[in-house]
Amino acid sequence: MDTIASLFSFITTPVSWVIVQFHSVYGKIFGPDTGWAWGLSIVSLVILIRICLIPLFVKQIKATRAMQTLQPEMKKIQERYKSDKQRQSEEMMKLYKETGTNPLSSCLPILAQSPFFFALYHVLNGIATGKTIGVIDDQLLASARKAHIFGAPLAAKFTDSADKVAQLGAQITDVRVVTAIMIVLMSASQFYTQRQLMTKNVDTTVKTPFMQQQKMLMYVFPVMFAVFGINFPVGVLVYWLTTNVWTMGQQMYVIHNNPTPGSKAQAAYLERLTKHVTQHGKTRKRSEKTIVKAIVAKGRDRNEFERKFINALNKAGLAAQADGTVMKSESAAAVQSEDGTATTGGAAAPKRQQPKRQSKAQRQSGGAKAPDDSEPKTSLSKSDEPEDAKPSAAAKKAEPKPGGGTRSKAQSGQRKGPQRPKSPSKK
């Protein structure tokens, strides 16, 4: 560890300068020789570094999701060129170039944070050995050696001997209890961060080797922290525990507000968004508009949770728009349907009425007119029409009956004119 830390000695001076500046502030509040002043200086260093790394963290999230999306294509390439490793690598690089993804982007925050971590280790190791380092002079060195966190010196380790701990003005029991608790908390926070990522923020509809790798890391990282933690000074444990807690909180924020599509976190988020939008009738936050805009743009490619969200809005009389806003269906300029198509116009288009089916006799007589309200209805009262306008009984009998043959009686050779009515048949 000392050899690795010496490789980053070029950044030791900036790190020690930042710690001294924070110590000058906290020293006025808690006292310059207290563990609170030096411990909070380390915590503040972590917060400052993590704030600077937020753009890299955003890039890491995008890269991780892009890699999850590419896993099926990567698996196909591996199966197609499993006997030709060189061609397999070429196709992988081609896929990365076409999609604009970089596998190393998911490791950027860790890689960017590593120099500061080893530089801090180098500073604390110098305090433990009584050497001035960076901008820490003899006066600050003596103050740092007196600083204790719950009875454990900043520069003490779990593996230190009792004599070495006594030189720092502490007892070996206090050092081991404090370091053991901090190592357990550090490993537990790392495990919980990885677990919530796997159980809540992973697309459950796609089973890829990437998920298996993440599950393996979920158990490997805590073990690594436990093994290496016994060789870290208390100050480094404070640094690493703080950065783990920051990562856990940052991950919880991302899962709650910008979950991975197809994950359980997205289902919970869209359920909350549905209640919020149906209650207020609009999307108020910029992040909500971004999510709705992405869902509308997918069209037919929406997953199960996104389709439920669109259907719930439709049932509430709302329609999601292409710009991420939500409007009422009656006044929407473009009503977004579930399959991704849009109906233009202020009101819904009238339904097309199917014509009524005509009887065979009506089709033979040239078609019947559609029923209209203007037609006279049958009444028990006498009609006001003149007698000449009424059809005669003979004309009525000459009309073809519904369901009759293709030819009328006149065409079948029967005699025209009034005929003797037939007597009713006896049954």
Side-chain angles (χ1 to χ4, degrees), residues 283-407:
T283 51
R284 297 187 297 179
K285 298 180 181 179
R286 184 178 178 181
S287 58
E288 294 176 351
K289 292 182 180 180
T290 304
I291 295 293
V292 175
K293 182 179 179 180
I295 293 175
V296 172
K298 285 185 178 181
R300 299 179 184 271
D301 296 331
R302 301 185 188 117
N303 57 45
E304 178 186 359
F305 309 129
E306 294 166 347
R307 287 194 297 268
K308 287 182 179 179
F309 171 72
I310 295 295
N311 292 337
L313 292 183
N314 293 338
K315 289 180 181 179
L318 301 172
Q321 305 302 304
D323 59 351
T325 58
V326 175
M327 300 178 64
K328 290 185 178 180
S329 298
E330 292 80 9
S331 61
V335 180
Q336 185 72 25
S337 62
E338 180 186 355
D339 58 355
T341 58
T343 304
T344 310
K351 294 184 179 179
R352 183 179 178 182
Q353 295 182 355
Q354 296 292 337
K356 293 185 178 180
R357 189 174 183 180
Q358 298 179 350
S359 64
K360 190 174 183 181
Q362 289 173 337
R363 292 196 299 271
Q364 290 175 354
S365 62
K369 294 182 180 180
D372 193 12
D373 295 339
S374 63
E375 292 183 358
K377 298 182 180 179
T378 305
S379 175
L380 295 177
S381 62
K382 292 184 178 181
S383 175
D384 296 336
E385 296 179 358
E387 290 292 331
D388 297 341
K390 295 182 180 180
S392 63
K396 288 182 179 180
K397 289 184 179 180
E399 291 179 358
K401 295 182 180 180
T406 58
R407 294 183 303 171

Side-chain angles (χ1 to χ4, degrees), residues 57-338:
F57 180 77
V58 174
K59 187 176 290 187
Q60 179 194 24
I61 293 174
K62 293 180 179 179
T64 302
R65 292 182 181 179
M67 290 298 295
Q68 289 176 351
T69 306
L70 291 179
Q71 286 300 316
E73 298 296 329
M74 294 170 62
K75 191 174 182 180
K76 291 179 182 178
I77 293 175
Q78 291 173 354
E79 292 177 355
R80 185 180 302 174
Y81 304 105
K82 58 183 178 181
S83 58
D84 190 352
K85 298 297 182 181
Q86 183 177 357
R87 181 66 184 278
Q88 185 181 118
S89 301
E90 292 176 356
E91 292 296 327
M92 287 288 189
M93 296 302 296
K94 183 179 179 181
L95 179 64
Y96 294 150
K97 186 176 181 180
E98 290 176 353
T99 56
T101 57
N102 187 358
L104 297 178
S105 297
S106 59
C107 303
L108 284 177
I110 296 177
L111 295 176
Q113 191 178 349
S114 297
F116 300 97
F117 170 77
F118 288 111
L120 178 64
Y121 179 88
H122 196 45
V123 170
L124 294 175
N125 190 52
I127 294 173
T129 56
K131 297 179 181 178
T132 57
I133 187 169
V135 297
I136 298 179
D137 53 16
D138 294 332
Q139 183 180 357
L140 291 172
L141 178 62
S143 176
R145 289 176 66 88
K146 294 177 184 178
H148 292 68
I149 297 178
F150 300 109
L154 287 176
K157 305 176 186 177
F158 184 87
T159 55
D160 286 344
S161 62
D163 295 338
K164 189 173 182 179
V165 173
Q167 293 177 2
L168 297 173
Q171 297 180 359
I172 188 64
T173 305
D174 295 336
V175 172
R176 291 185 176 178
V177 169
V178 171
T179 53
I181 293 174
M182 295 182 71
I183 290 171
V184 170
L185 292 176
M186 187 174 62
S187 301
S189 59
Q190 177 67 32
F191 177 80
Y192 181 78
T193 301
Q194 196 70 21
R195 180 175 175 79
Q196 72 172 350
L197 179 66
M198 290 300 305
T199 57
K200 296 182 179 181
N201 206 36
V202 171
D203 188 357
T204 56
T205 60
V206 181
K207 303 295 182 181
T208 62
F210 181 78
M211 296 178 62
Q212 300 298 328
Q213 295 174 5
Q214 293 295 317
K215 286 182 179 179
M216 182 178 65
L217 294 176
M218 182 173 64
Y219 296 100
V220 170
F221 274 155
V223 174
M224 291 176 59
F225 278 113
V227 171
F228 291 109
I230 59 176
N231 295 313
F232 290 162
V234 173
V236 174
L237 293 178
V238 171
Y239 175 93
W240 207 247
L241 177 60
T242 305
T243 194
N244 279 2
V245 172
W246 177 281
T247 303
M248 183 174 62
Q250 194 170 244
Q251 187 72 46
M252 292 175 65
Y253 176 82
V254 171
I255 292 175
H256 188 270
N257 295 282
N258 191 17
T260 300
S263 62
K264 293 181 180 179
Q266 189 196 32
Y269 176 82
L270 292 180
E271 185 177 353
R272 295 192 305 270
L273 184 60
T274 302
K275 294 180 180 179
H276 171 76
V277 172
T278 53
Q279 181 180 0
H280 298 280
K282 61 180 180 179
T283 51
R284 297 187 297 179
K285 298 180 181 179
R286 184 178 178 181
S287 58
E288 294 176 351
K289 292 182 180 180
T290 304
I291 295 293
V292 175
K293 182 179 179 180
I295 293 175
V296 172
K298 285 185 178 181
R300 299 179 184 271
D301 296 331
R302 301 185 188 117
N303 57 45
E304 178 186 359
F305 309 129
E306 294 166 347
R307 287 194 297 268
K308 287 182 179 179
F309 171 72
I310 295 295
N311 292 337
L313 292 183
N314 293 338
K315 289 180 181 179
L318 301 172
Q321 305 302 304
D323 59 351
T325 58
V326 175
M327 300 178 64
K328 290 185 178 180
S329 298
E330 292 80 9
S331 61
V335 180
Q336 185 72 25
S337 62
E338 180 186 355

